[in-house]
Amino acid sequence: MTAAPRSNYTAIEAAPPRERVERLISVTDHLMRIVEQESTFLRNKEPYRIEEVHEEKLRLTSDYAMDIGLLGKTPHILDQAPAEIVSRLKSNMKQLSEKLTENEKLLGALKEASEDLIKNVARIAARERRPAAGYGNSGQMSDLPKTAPSALSLDRQI
């Protein structure tokens, strides 16, 4: 951890309970918005647009992990914050979990479709390269000549 994130960590750790919980609510609000935007891109068949929100999602995920880690070290903070704020945080965390589950399903469907497409392209390419089987001059099935292997790669970034 570098000096800047460490000082941010220390500042958050020293903040009053209400501020810490409100910060986590803000982070979950923003993260939910990003995850929903990403899911919309996937539903609209525009996965290439996910890159538009990638940096912000990484930053928010890092903030969320840091805040949850701090909360794990000092769980008494939830007892010291106002009940309505803690209730909102719990609601946000539940909503975020639901949105992440939906997003995961959409990403899984995209990945499966991409892999199926690659397999179909490979199957068609192999069929096109293979000569037609037939009978030779002796009336026997002719041996198919061996064809050189060809490379096909799959980008698994999705």
Side-chain angles (χ1 to χ4, degrees):
M1 199 179 278
T2 61
R6 183 68 188 157
S7 64
N8 191 25
Y9 182 91
T10 304
I12 294 167
E13 194 173 32
R18 179 184 192 108
E19 264 183 53
R20 286 182 56 187
V21 174
E22 286 175 341
R23 173 185 154 80
L24 191 49
I25 289 170
S26 175
V27 169
T28 56
D29 279 341
H30 287 93
L31 196 50
M32 278 192 291
R33 181 181 51 79
I34 293 296
V35 169
E36 183 57 42
Q37 192 173 12
E38 191 175 272
S39 294
T40 299
F41 292 152
L42 293 169
R43 279 191 295 275
N44 292 340
K45 298 176 181 33
E46 301 174 315
Y48 56 90
R49 293 192 63 199
I50 290 174
E51 187 177 331
E52 295 173 17
V53 295
H54 182 72
E55 288 298 318
E56 187 176 2
K57 184 179 179 184
L58 285 177
R59 183 187 59 77
L60 289 168
T61 302
S62 177
D63 288 351
Y64 181 80
M66 180 177 66
D67 287 347
I68 291 295
L70 277 170
L71 195 57
K73 290 181 181 178
T74 54
H76 65 278
I77 293 298
L78 293 176
D79 297 331
Q80 296 172 358
E84 66 274 0
I85 293 175
V86 173
S87 177
R88 180 160 175 230
L89 174 63
K90 289 178 181 178
S91 173
N92 271 22
M93 292 177 83
K94 182 179 181 214
Q95 289 175 37
L96 177 61
S97 177
E98 291 167 357
K99 288 184 186 301
L100 286 169
T101 298
E102 177 191 6
N103 186 269
E104 182 179 13
K105 287 177 185 175
L106 290 167
L107 285 169
L110 176 64
K111 178 182 177 212
E112 186 176 321
S114 296
E115 288 176 350
D116 287 348
L117 176 65
I118 296 297
K119 288 175 188 174
N120 286 332
V121 167
R123 188 172 37 253
I124 290 168
R127 186 175 59 222
E128 293 297 318
R129 284 193 347 255
R130 182 179 45 216
Y135 291 99
N137 291 338
S138 65
Q140 299 287 326
M141 287 293 286
S142 61
D143 289 332
L144 294 175
K146 303 288 187 218
T147 57
S150 61
L152 186 63
S153 65
L154 174 62
D155 184 357
R156 293 192 171 258
Q157 279 186 320
I158 297 177

